[in-house]
Amino acid sequence: MAKTRRVLSLSTLFPNAAHPRFGIFVAKSLEALQRDTHWDVTLINPIGLPPLALGRYRQLAAAARDGQEFGMAVHRPIFRLIPRFGGRLNPRLIAHAVLPLARRLHAEHPFDLVDAQFFYPDGPAAMLVARELGLPFSVKARGADIHHWGARGYGRGALLETTREAAGVLAVCAALADDMAMLGMARDRIAIHYTGLDRDLFRPMDHVGLRARLADSFSIPIAGDDLLLVTVGALIERKGQAYVVKALADLPRGRLLLVGKGEDEASLRALAREVGVAERVHFLGSLDPSMLPPILSAADAMVLPSASEGLANAWIEALACGTPIVITDAGGAREVVTSPAAGIIVARNCRAIREGILAVTARPRPPREVAASVDGFSWEANGAALAAHYDGLV
């Protein structure tokens, strides 16, 4: 499609060689915008490194490379950060690192709009860049960026200033937009921009032989009558995997597949041993997206008792594979679980989660009926909606 407008998008949340799945949903959204609409995307993915890039930062330093990725030009300037203590400083440090590049790119081929794909620190940094270039800017809220930083005085102040100056504000669900209004943002200025979905990849798969394939691929003894549960998400307290592990103790036929990596893995393994379910809890680590549909399709339910969310891609992907979800009332949960076929919303405690699992799996729905609950989600629709939003700002 002919390109008639240009956007400079700033996102710390974007895949790189060190973390190829990090922010993949941002990449897929901008890829659809670039591929299917009249907007041409240039992406700046700032890489934060301490003065000495040691340990885990060494691999990240090596990933600070420019390239052509997801159909767009990607630039990765380095900004200096103070690990664990630099939250207040990061927006200005990012803007300082990005501005020379942004000025040069704008001089070579002018942009119409600046965009931030994460509200903090990206939003305030994009605001400073847009001021310098004399352009309008848009900012998107995804969940943790609002709930985490909005709970800090300096973070809330930065979020409100960014909102006031932005030409457009997006949120991934109405529930998050309501939370933003509670912080003092004008609710009527916040538009809803739902996530997308790779519909060719995430779809119901024939159950025949799926469990045997998984058992062979991961060396897991999955029986045909197992109550197979899957949890997809980073292994961190906010995602609530510990509640599912504990609930498994009262589900003798239950077997849990944990997809994801994170700082809580050691404590979750210890918990599984403590409650006597270690042989029924399996840590699969981070997987390629192509591995998720067979796992989700084979499962009886996807269980994710998050403390907070925006609108989790894991919910949508599970439903698209015909697998009902058992989730807590976090973020846009009520905008996704709109029928019994989609699953159930439960309290964030072990008993409620166990009862929710039993309720959903006692009366299984045809996978196609479950998948129909997310018929409106696709990356094509997401990209088109983003283009329409941008068009209204320039």
Side-chain angles (χ1 to χ4, degrees):
M1 179 176 290
K3 302 299 181 182
T4 58
R5 286 177 169 161
R6 302 189 73 232
V7 59
L8 178 64
S9 188
L10 177 69
S11 186
T12 55
L13 196 64
F14 198 83
N16 59 53
H19 303 291
R21 303 302 304 160
F22 182 63
I24 188 66
F25 40 86
V26 173
K28 298 300 288 185
S29 178
L30 294 178
E31 180 183 46
L33 180 75
Q34 173 73 26
R35 182 187 63 234
D36 300 331
T37 80
H38 56 282
W39 281 89
D40 184 61
V41 184
T42 297
L43 190 284
I44 296 181
N45 172 216
I47 301 292
L49 296 173
L52 290 176
L54 302 176
R56 64 188 177 92
Y57 288 108
R58 185 172 299 163
Q59 186 181 15
L60 192 57
R65 300 289 183 268
D66 299 346
Q68 192 76 17
E69 302 168 21
F70 299 95
M72 71 195 85
V74 178
H75 302 268
R76 292 193 173 91
I78 290 172
F79 72 95
R80 294 304 174 189
L81 55 74
I82 305 172
R84 303 177 67 90
F85 300 103
R88 185 191 300 267
L89 304 174
N90 285 342
R92 289 194 176 276
L93 292 173
I94 291 171
H96 178 75
V98 163
L99 267 170
L101 172 63
R103 290 192 196 100
R104 176 174 64 80
L105 294 173
H106 186 53
E108 291 172 355
H109 195 173
F111 296 104
D112 298 286
L113 181 73
V114 175
D115 161 77
Q117 283 288 316
F118 199 62
F119 222 105
Y120 193 94
D122 305 18
M127 175 182 70
L128 296 173
V129 171
R131 280 180 190 169
E132 180 70 19
L133 300 185
L135 295 174
F137 79 97
S138 176
V139 59
K140 183 167 183 177
R142 296 184 176 274
D145 47 354
I146 299 298
H147 298 135
H148 179 80
W149 297 107
R152 289 152 174 76
Y154 69 85
R156 179 174 178 271
L159 298 180
L160 293 178
E161 181 186 9
T162 302
T163 302
R164 286 192 298 268
E165 194 159 327
V169 181
L170 295 173
V172 295
C173 61
L176 180 59
D178 293 340
D179 290 346
M180 294 162 71
M182 291 292 289
L183 288 177
M185 303 181 195
R187 178 63 178 83
D188 59 358
R189 294 197 60 229
I190 304 170
I192 309 306
H193 184 225
Y194 286 122
T195 189
L197 174 70
D198 186 338
R199 304 205 67 84
D200 291 330
L201 182 62
F202 292 97
R203 52 188 173 77
M205 298 180 68
D206 190 340
H207 276 62
V208 176
L210 270 184
R211 292 192 172 192
R213 283 171 50 194
L214 294 179
D216 183 60
S217 296
F218 295 101
S219 299
I220 296 172
I222 304 175
D225 63 347
D226 277 352
L227 180 63
L228 190 60
L229 309 173
V230 60
T231 297
V232 180
L235 304 183
I236 55 177
E237 193 283 329
R238 179 171 64 86
K239 295 292 184 178
Q241 289 95 343
Y243 291 97
V244 192
V245 171
K246 291 178 182 177
L248 204 66
D250 293 320
L251 296 169
R253 289 178 41 246
R255 187 173 297 278
L256 175 62
L257 309 181
L258 293 175
V259 178
K261 297 177 70 175
E263 60 194 31
D264 281 7
E265 181 171 341
S267 63
L268 289 169
R269 288 183 181 274
L271 176 63
R273 291 192 296 269
E274 179 185 331
V275 299
V277 298
E279 76 285 356
R280 294 190 283 124
V281 178
H282 307 279
F283 293 79
L284 306 188
S286 292
L287 299 177
D288 186 90
S290 63
M291 287 300 300
L292 290 178
I295 292 171
L296 291 169
S297 294
D300 295 296
M302 200 286 286
V303 190
L304 190 63
S306 305
S308 66
E309 288 285 358
L311 192 146
N313 286 67
W315 301 344
I316 307 303
E317 290 167 355
L319 292 171
C321 290
T323 304
I325 57 179
V326 178
I327 61 175
T328 41
D329 195 4
R334 293 178 184 269
E335 296 164 63
V336 174
V337 181
T338 57
S339 70
I344 192 169
I345 296 173
V346 299
R348 199 174 192 245
N349 62 67
C350 297
R351 178 178 177 179
I353 292 165
R354 183 186 71 248
E355 291 177 351
I357 291 168
L358 292 173
V360 163
T361 57
R363 301 181 63 183
R365 305 291 182 117
R368 296 290 175 187
E369 181 182 348
V370 176
S373 64
V374 290
D375 274 351
F377 290 84
S378 72
W379 287 121
E380 291 78 10
N382 176 279
L386 189 57
H389 168 74
Y390 288 166
D391 285 345
L393 307 181
V394 297

